[in-house]
Protein backbone atom coordinates (compact mmCIF):
# COMPACT_ATOMS: atom_id res chain seq x y z
CA UNK A 1 0.00 0.00 0.00
CA UNK A 2 1.47 3.37 -0.92
CA UNK A 3 1.53 6.07 1.74
CA UNK A 4 -1.05 8.12 -0.10
CA UNK A 5 -3.59 5.26 0.21
CA UNK A 6 -3.17 5.21 3.97
CA UNK A 7 -4.82 7.53 6.45
CA UNK A 8 -2.40 10.16 7.76
CA UNK A 9 -1.55 9.85 11.46
CA UNK A 10 -1.49 13.64 11.78
CA UNK A 11 -0.89 16.82 9.78
CA UNK A 12 1.78 19.50 10.13
CA UNK A 13 -0.19 22.44 8.76
CA UNK A 14 -1.51 20.95 5.55
CA UNK A 15 1.26 18.33 5.29
CA UNK A 16 0.00 14.80 5.94
CA UNK A 17 2.29 12.51 7.92
CA UNK A 18 1.78 8.80 7.25
CA UNK A 19 3.24 7.21 10.35
CA UNK A 20 3.88 7.86 14.01
CA UNK A 21 7.55 6.93 14.45
CA UNK A 22 10.19 9.36 13.26
CA UNK A 23 13.98 9.56 13.30
CA UNK A 24 15.07 12.39 15.64
CA UNK A 25 17.58 15.02 14.54
CA UNK A 26 21.09 13.88 15.44
CA UNK A 27 24.04 15.94 14.22
CA UNK A 28 26.82 13.68 13.03
CA UNK A 29 24.39 10.82 12.33
CA UNK A 30 21.24 11.91 10.51
CA UNK A 31 22.85 12.67 7.17
CA UNK A 32 21.18 11.85 3.87
CA UNK A 33 22.28 8.17 3.71
CA UNK A 34 21.11 7.38 7.26
CA UNK A 35 17.84 9.28 6.79
CA UNK A 36 17.16 7.18 3.68
CA UNK A 37 17.80 3.94 5.59
CA UNK A 38 15.45 5.09 8.37
CA UNK A 39 12.77 6.18 5.92
CA UNK A 40 12.97 2.85 4.04
CA UNK A 41 12.46 1.08 7.36
CA UNK A 42 9.39 3.12 8.24
CA UNK A 43 10.41 6.45 9.75
CA UNK A 44 7.49 8.68 8.75
CA UNK A 45 9.68 11.76 8.10
CA UNK A 46 13.34 12.77 8.15
CA UNK A 47 14.94 15.39 10.39
CA UNK A 48 18.31 16.84 9.42
CA UNK A 49 20.93 17.51 12.09
CA UNK A 50 21.25 21.05 13.41
CA UNK A 51 21.83 23.70 10.72
CA UNK A 52 23.51 26.84 12.04
CA UNK A 53 25.22 29.82 10.38
CA UNK A 54 28.55 28.15 11.12
CA UNK A 55 27.48 25.08 9.14
CA UNK A 56 26.33 27.21 6.21
CA UNK A 57 29.78 28.80 6.10
CA UNK A 58 31.68 25.52 5.82
CA UNK A 59 33.05 24.23 2.56
CA UNK A 60 30.83 21.18 2.75
CA UNK A 61 27.60 23.16 3.33
CA UNK A 62 25.87 22.07 0.14
CA UNK A 63 26.43 18.42 0.98
CA UNK A 64 25.28 18.98 4.56
CA UNK A 65 22.02 20.43 3.21
CA UNK A 66 21.61 17.73 0.57
CA UNK A 67 18.77 15.24 0.55
CA UNK A 68 16.98 12.98 -1.91
CA UNK A 69 13.24 12.89 -2.68
CA UNK A 70 12.76 9.56 -0.85
CA UNK A 71 13.67 11.28 2.43
CA UNK A 72 10.63 13.57 2.24
CA UNK A 73 8.89 14.86 4.25
CA UNK A 74 12.15 16.53 5.25
CA UNK A 75 12.38 18.68 8.36
CA UNK A 76 15.32 21.08 8.62
CA UNK A 77 16.42 21.54 12.26
CA UNK A 78 17.61 25.16 12.44
CA UNK A 79 19.53 26.87 15.25
CA UNK A 80 20.46 30.48 15.91
CA UNK A 81 20.34 33.04 18.68
CA UNK A 82 17.81 35.46 17.28
CA UNK A 83 15.16 35.97 14.64
CA UNK A 84 17.45 37.77 12.16
CA UNK A 85 20.00 34.99 12.09
CA UNK A 86 17.36 32.29 11.96
CA UNK A 87 15.54 34.04 9.13
CA UNK A 88 18.82 34.21 7.15
CA UNK A 89 19.39 30.48 7.62
CA UNK A 90 15.80 29.73 6.61
CA UNK A 91 16.18 31.85 3.44
CA UNK A 92 19.06 29.64 2.37
CA UNK A 93 17.19 26.46 3.26
CA UNK A 94 14.02 27.65 1.54
CA UNK A 95 15.74 27.16 -1.81
CA UNK A 96 15.83 23.43 -1.05
CA UNK A 97 12.03 23.39 -0.63
CA UNK A 98 11.91 21.81 2.83
CA UNK A 99 8.62 20.32 4.00
CA UNK A 100 9.01 21.71 7.52
CA UNK A 101 11.32 24.25 9.17
CA UNK A 102 12.05 23.24 12.76
CA UNK A 103 13.54 25.65 15.28
CA UNK A 104 16.00 24.05 17.69
CA UNK A 105 15.34 25.20 21.26
CA UNK A 106 16.71 22.18 23.04
CA UNK A 107 20.35 21.56 22.17
CA UNK A 108 22.25 21.42 25.49
CA UNK A 109 25.77 21.35 24.04
CA UNK A 110 28.12 23.84 25.71
CA UNK A 111 29.33 25.12 22.35
CA UNK A 112 25.75 25.92 21.30
CA UNK A 113 24.42 27.41 24.55
CA UNK A 114 27.48 29.65 24.89
CA UNK A 115 26.43 31.11 21.54
CA UNK A 116 22.96 31.73 23.04
CA UNK A 117 21.34 29.14 20.79
CA UNK A 118 19.51 25.86 21.39
CA UNK A 119 18.34 25.31 24.98
CA UNK A 120 19.64 28.78 25.96
CA UNK A 121 16.49 30.21 24.35
CA UNK A 122 14.24 28.45 26.89
CA UNK A 123 15.36 31.03 29.45
CA UNK A 124 14.11 33.82 27.18
CA UNK A 125 10.43 33.33 26.33
CA UNK A 126 10.27 36.75 24.64
CA UNK A 127 12.96 35.73 22.25
CA UNK A 128 11.20 32.42 21.57
CA UNK A 129 8.08 34.43 20.67
CA UNK A 130 10.01 36.77 18.34
CA UNK A 131 11.76 33.91 16.57
CA UNK A 132 8.58 31.89 16.04
CA UNK A 133 6.62 34.93 14.90
CA UNK A 134 9.28 35.96 12.41
CA UNK A 135 9.70 32.53 10.87
CA UNK A 136 6.00 31.67 10.72
CA UNK A 137 5.15 35.04 9.17
CA UNK A 138 8.04 35.06 6.68
CA UNK A 139 7.77 31.58 5.18
CA UNK A 140 4.91 29.59 3.74
CA UNK A 141 6.56 26.30 4.84
CA UNK A 142 5.06 24.89 8.07
CA UNK A 143 7.21 25.69 11.10
CA UNK A 144 7.77 23.51 14.17
CA UNK A 145 10.01 23.67 17.21
CA UNK A 146 11.89 21.15 19.31
CA UNK A 147 12.26 21.93 22.99
CA UNK A 148 13.40 20.49 26.30
CA UNK A 149 11.44 20.93 29.52
CA UNK A 150 13.38 24.00 30.65
CA UNK A 151 16.87 25.08 31.60
CA UNK A 152 17.06 23.26 34.93
CA UNK A 153 14.86 21.77 37.66
CA UNK A 154 14.07 25.27 38.97
CA UNK A 155 12.87 26.54 35.63
CA UNK A 156 10.73 23.88 34.04
CA UNK A 157 8.80 26.42 31.97
CA UNK A 158 7.76 23.98 29.25
CA UNK A 159 4.04 24.82 29.35
CA UNK A 160 4.68 28.56 28.92
CA UNK A 161 7.18 27.92 26.15
CA UNK A 162 4.87 25.44 24.41
CA UNK A 163 1.98 27.93 24.49
CA UNK A 164 4.18 30.71 23.14
CA UNK A 165 5.33 28.47 20.32
CA UNK A 166 1.77 27.55 19.37
CA UNK A 167 0.44 31.11 19.76
CA UNK A 168 3.11 32.33 17.38
CA UNK A 169 2.05 30.09 14.56
CA UNK A 170 3.89 26.77 14.97
CA UNK A 171 2.30 23.77 13.28
CA UNK A 172 3.94 21.11 15.49
CA UNK A 173 6.03 20.77 18.64
CA UNK A 174 8.57 18.06 19.52
CA UNK A 175 9.49 17.62 23.18
CA UNK A 176 12.59 15.92 24.55
CA UNK A 177 11.36 15.35 28.07
CA UNK A 178 14.43 16.46 30.02
CA UNK A 179 15.82 19.83 31.08
CA UNK A 180 19.02 21.24 29.64
CA UNK A 181 20.78 20.60 32.93
CA UNK A 182 19.85 16.89 32.81
CA UNK A 183 21.59 16.41 29.48
CA UNK A 184 20.96 12.74 28.77
CA UNK A 185 20.89 11.61 32.42
CA UNK A 186 17.97 10.44 34.53
CA UNK A 187 14.66 9.40 33.09
CA UNK A 188 12.69 11.35 30.51
CA UNK A 189 9.54 12.77 32.14
CA UNK A 190 6.71 11.49 29.97
CA UNK A 191 4.11 13.12 32.28
CA UNK A 192 5.40 16.48 31.04
CA UNK A 193 4.78 15.43 27.43
CA UNK A 194 1.21 14.48 28.44
CA UNK A 195 0.68 17.92 30.02
CA UNK A 196 1.90 19.65 26.87
CA UNK A 197 -0.31 17.48 24.67
CA UNK A 198 -3.34 18.33 26.81
CA UNK A 199 -2.54 22.03 26.57
CA UNK A 200 -1.87 22.41 22.84
CA UNK A 201 -4.02 21.98 19.76
CA UNK A 202 -1.14 21.34 17.35
CA UNK A 203 0.47 17.89 16.98
CA UNK A 204 3.01 17.00 19.65
CA UNK A 205 5.87 14.55 19.17
CA UNK A 206 7.16 12.84 22.31
CA UNK A 207 10.86 12.14 22.68
CA UNK A 208 13.21 10.59 25.18
CA UNK A 209 14.03 7.11 26.35
CA UNK A 210 12.49 4.95 23.67
CA UNK A 211 14.71 1.90 24.11
CA UNK A 212 12.63 -0.93 22.73
CA UNK A 213 9.82 -1.28 20.18
CA UNK A 214 7.18 -1.71 22.89
CA UNK A 215 8.15 1.69 24.36
CA UNK A 216 6.68 3.41 21.28
CA UNK A 217 3.07 2.50 22.06
CA UNK A 218 3.74 2.84 25.79
CA UNK A 219 4.79 6.47 25.24
CA UNK A 220 1.83 7.15 22.95
CA UNK A 221 -0.58 5.72 25.49
CA UNK A 222 1.02 7.50 28.45
CA UNK A 223 1.22 10.92 26.81
CA UNK A 224 -1.42 10.95 24.04
CA UNK A 225 1.29 12.30 21.72
CA UNK A 226 0.71 12.19 17.97
CA UNK A 227 4.05 10.64 17.14
CA UNK A 228 7.29 9.51 18.71
CA UNK A 229 10.76 10.79 17.85
CA UNK A 230 13.52 8.20 18.20
CA UNK A 231 17.18 9.12 18.52
CA UNK A 232 19.99 7.04 19.96
CA UNK A 233 18.40 3.62 19.77
CA UNK A 234 17.90 3.97 16.01
CA UNK A 235 21.64 4.16 15.38
CA UNK A 236 22.57 0.77 13.89
CA UNK A 237 18.96 -0.24 14.46
CA UNK A 238 16.57 1.16 11.82
CA UNK A 239 14.24 -1.82 12.50
CA UNK A 240 12.90 0.12 15.47
CA UNK A 241 10.81 2.07 12.92
CA UNK A 242 9.09 -1.23 12.03
CA UNK A 243 8.45 -1.75 15.75
CA UNK A 244 10.93 -4.65 15.75
CA UNK A 245 13.64 -5.24 18.33
CA UNK A 246 17.19 -6.16 17.36
CA UNK A 247 16.87 -9.75 18.49
CA UNK A 248 14.12 -10.24 15.89
CA UNK A 249 16.50 -9.24 13.07
CA UNK A 250 18.56 -12.00 11.50
CA UNK A 251 22.34 -11.54 11.14
CA UNK A 252 21.83 -11.73 7.35
CA UNK A 253 19.40 -8.83 7.42
CA UNK A 254 21.76 -6.83 9.60
CA UNK A 255 24.63 -7.49 7.27
CA UNK A 256 22.58 -6.60 4.18
CA UNK A 257 21.36 -3.34 5.71
CA UNK A 258 24.82 -2.37 6.96
CA UNK A 259 26.25 -3.09 3.50
CA UNK A 260 23.59 -0.95 1.78
CA UNK A 261 24.19 1.82 4.30
CA UNK A 262 27.94 1.75 3.67
CA UNK A 263 27.45 1.78 -0.11
CA UNK A 264 25.12 4.72 0.18
CA UNK A 265 27.66 6.59 2.35
CA UNK A 266 30.41 5.96 -0.17
CA UNK A 267 28.14 7.27 -2.96
CA UNK A 268 27.42 10.36 -0.90
CA UNK A 269 30.86 11.13 0.60
CA UNK A 270 33.27 9.37 -1.79
CA UNK A 271 36.07 7.35 -0.18
CA UNK A 272 35.62 9.29 3.09
CA UNK A 273 32.31 7.45 3.43
CA UNK A 274 34.10 4.39 4.86
CA UNK A 275 35.54 6.44 7.73
CA UNK A 276 32.22 8.12 8.35
CA UNK A 277 30.50 4.75 8.37
CA UNK A 278 32.66 3.38 11.24
CA UNK A 279 30.46 4.62 14.07
CA UNK A 280 27.39 3.15 12.34
CA UNK A 281 29.21 -0.19 11.81
CA UNK A 282 30.00 -0.45 15.51
CA UNK A 283 26.35 0.21 16.29
CA UNK A 284 24.98 -2.32 13.77
CA UNK A 285 27.05 -5.13 15.22
CA UNK A 286 27.15 -4.20 18.92
CA UNK A 287 26.24 -7.08 21.18
CA UNK A 288 26.44 -9.56 18.30
CA UNK A 289 28.95 -12.42 18.10
CA UNK A 290 30.54 -10.58 15.14
CA UNK A 291 31.31 -7.33 17.02
CA UNK A 292 35.02 -7.99 17.53
CA UNK A 293 35.40 -9.12 13.91
CA UNK A 294 33.72 -5.93 12.70
CA UNK A 295 36.17 -3.79 14.67
CA UNK A 296 39.08 -5.81 13.27
CA UNK A 297 37.73 -5.47 9.72
CA UNK A 298 37.44 -1.71 10.20
CA UNK A 299 41.10 -1.47 11.25
CA UNK A 300 42.35 -3.62 8.39
CA UNK A 301 40.31 -2.33 5.46
CA UNK A 302 41.35 0.52 3.27
CA UNK A 303 38.46 0.36 0.84
CA UNK A 304 34.72 -0.24 1.28
CA UNK A 305 35.04 -3.41 -0.85
CA UNK A 306 37.74 -4.76 1.51
CA UNK A 307 35.58 -3.93 4.48
CA UNK A 308 32.56 -5.76 3.10
CA UNK A 309 34.67 -8.81 2.16
CA UNK A 310 36.34 -8.95 5.57
CA UNK A 311 33.01 -8.51 7.26
CA UNK A 312 31.40 -11.29 5.20
CA UNK A 313 34.27 -13.65 5.98
CA UNK A 314 34.16 -12.77 9.68
CA UNK A 315 30.44 -13.27 10.16
CA UNK A 316 29.22 -16.86 9.95
CA UNK A 317 26.84 -17.61 7.09
CA UNK A 318 27.14 -14.24 5.27
CA UNK A 319 27.36 -14.23 1.50
CA UNK A 320 28.19 -11.46 -0.92
CA UNK A 321 25.75 -11.11 -3.78
C1 LIG B 1 24.61 12.36 18.82
C2 LIG B 1 23.36 13.19 19.02
C3 LIG B 1 23.18 14.33 18.24
C4 LIG B 1 22.02 15.11 18.40
N1 LIG B 1 21.85 16.20 17.60
C5 LIG B 1 20.70 16.91 17.69
C6 LIG B 1 20.44 17.99 16.80
O1 LIG B 1 21.25 18.30 15.91
N2 LIG B 1 19.26 18.67 16.93
C7 LIG B 1 18.33 18.35 17.90
O2 LIG B 1 17.28 18.99 17.98
N3 LIG B 1 18.56 17.32 18.75
C8 LIG B 1 19.70 16.60 18.66
N4 LIG B 1 19.90 15.53 19.50
C9 LIG B 1 18.84 15.14 20.45
C10 LIG B 1 17.92 14.06 19.86
O3 LIG B 1 17.18 14.56 18.78
C11 LIG B 1 16.95 13.53 20.93
O4 LIG B 1 16.19 14.62 21.39
C12 LIG B 1 17.64 12.88 22.12
O5 LIG B 1 18.68 12.01 21.68
C13 LIG B 1 16.65 12.10 23.00
O6 LIG B 1 16.05 11.06 22.29
P1 LIG B 1 16.50 9.50 22.46
O7 LIG B 1 16.34 9.18 23.92
O8 LIG B 1 15.57 8.74 21.58
O9 LIG B 1 17.95 9.43 22.04
C14 LIG B 1 21.06 14.76 19.38
C15 LIG B 1 21.25 13.61 20.16
C16 LIG B 1 22.38 12.83 19.98
C17 LIG B 1 22.56 11.59 20.84
Amino acid sequence: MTEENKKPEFHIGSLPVYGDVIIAPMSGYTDSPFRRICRQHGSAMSYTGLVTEAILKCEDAERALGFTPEERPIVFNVGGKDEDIIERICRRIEKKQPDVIDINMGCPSRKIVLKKQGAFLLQHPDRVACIMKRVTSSFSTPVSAKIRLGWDSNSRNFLDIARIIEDNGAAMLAVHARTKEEGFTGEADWDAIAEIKQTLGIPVLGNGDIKRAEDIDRMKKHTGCDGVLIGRVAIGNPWIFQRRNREEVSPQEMFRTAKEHLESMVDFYGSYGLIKFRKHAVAYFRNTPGAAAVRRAMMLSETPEDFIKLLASALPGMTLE
Side-chain angles (χ1 to χ4, degrees):
M1 200 198 283
T2 62
E3 282 194 332
E4 284 63 30
N5 297 330
K6 289 199 232 157
K7 194 173 159 292
E9 289 286 335
F10 60 95
H11 286 81
I12 309 173
S14 59
L15 177 79
V17 180
Y18 298 95
D20 57 358
V21 198
I22 296 147
I23 180 68
M26 284 186 290
S27 298
Y29 286 92
T30 50
D31 56 7
S32 177
F34 185 49
R35 293 192 302 255
R36 246 173 289 155
I37 295 274
C38 294
R39 192 79 178 89
Q40 282 159 11
H41 283 77
S43 170
M45 312 191 281
S46 306
Y47 272 81
T48 68
L50 181 60
V51 181
T52 58
E53 275 212 314
I55 287 181
L56 295 186
K57 281 182 191 147
C58 32
E59 249 178 55
D60 215 22
E62 270 310 301
R63 184 153 42 199
L65 299 182
F67 66 92
T68 57
E70 340 53 303
E71 293 163 48
R72 287 189 183 275
I74 182 116
V75 185
F76 274 80
N77 181 243
V78 175
K81 75 177 166 105
D82 63 37
E83 58 277 22
D84 292 335
I85 292 177
I86 289 185
E87 185 183 346
R88 275 206 298 277
I89 301 172
C90 294
R91 291 262 168 247
R92 172 96 178 258
I93 286 172
E94 195 188 18
K95 299 190 185 113
K96 307 266 167 202
Q97 300 183 311
D99 296 296
V100 180
I101 294 173
D102 180 64
I103 310 300
N104 180 310
M105 299 185 181
C107 181
S109 124
R110 199 177 134 75
K111 209 171 86 187
I112 295 292
V113 296
L114 279 175
K115 290 184 189 156
K116 305 186 174 175
Q117 306 173 12
F120 178 90
L121 295 169
L122 300 174
Q123 302 172 105
H124 299 278
D126 293 352
R127 201 175 297 173
V128 169
C130 287
I131 290 171
M132 293 311 295
K133 193 167 181 188
R134 175 74 69 84
V135 184
T136 56
S137 58
S138 308
F139 298 91
S140 55
T141 309
V143 181
S144 63
K146 181 162 175 282
I147 62 169
R148 283 186 173 236
L149 301 183
W151 182 256
D152 60 20
S153 55
N154 296 318
S155 57
R156 287 167 44 103
N157 58 348
F158 54 90
L159 280 185
D160 288 345
I161 294 282
R163 275 196 206 99
I164 289 170
I165 287 170
E166 177 171 61
D167 291 349
N168 284 284
M172 182 183 71
L173 179 67
V175 183
H176 178 190
R178 290 186 172 86
T179 62
K180 182 267 167 201
E181 188 188 42
E182 286 174 302
F184 288 88
T185 63
E187 257 179 50
D189 176 4
W190 291 4
D191 290 343
I193 300 173
E195 270 186 77
I196 293 175
K197 174 63 195 166
Q198 277 159 23
T199 306
L200 300 191
I202 55 176
V204 172
L205 301 183
N207 174 231
D209 283 355
I210 298 293
K211 293 182 181 135
R212 294 187 49 83
E214 46 278 24
D215 296 336
I216 297 169
D217 289 320
R218 202 165 58 78
M219 179 189 267
K220 285 193 72 181
K221 197 161 168 227
H222 189 100
T223 66
C225 66
D226 300 273
V228 169
L229 269 190
I230 303 186
R232 291 162 293 171
V233 88
I235 299 169
N237 181 27
W239 302 281
I240 192 82
F241 299 110
Q242 301 168 335
R243 288 173 158 80
R244 287 164 79 203
N245 288 311
R246 285 172 64 90
E247 67 271 16
E248 296 161 46
V249 180
S250 69
Q252 283 82 357
E253 192 174 351
M254 259 182 216
F255 175 71
R256 201 174 55 239
T257 305
K259 180 170 170 282
E260 271 171 31
H261 190 166
L262 169 61
E263 286 164 352
S264 150
M265 287 194 82
V266 172
D267 275 353
F268 192 70
Y269 292 108
S271 53
Y272 192 48
L274 176 59
I275 295 163
K276 289 227 172 235
F277 181 68
R278 284 181 178 165
K279 56 191 174 188
H280 291 280
V282 170
Y284 276 112
F285 297 101
R286 72 180 164 232
N287 306 329
T288 67
V294 173
R295 282 195 293 275
R296 220 171 19 253
M298 283 187 324
M299 310 270 277
L300 294 173
S301 4
E302 284 176 13
T303 65
E305 294 76 23
D306 268 5
F307 177 71
I308 289 168
K309 267 191 222 142
L310 275 167
L311 202 58
S313 63
L315 299 172
M318 296 307 135
T319 48
L320 289 169
E321 300 115 42

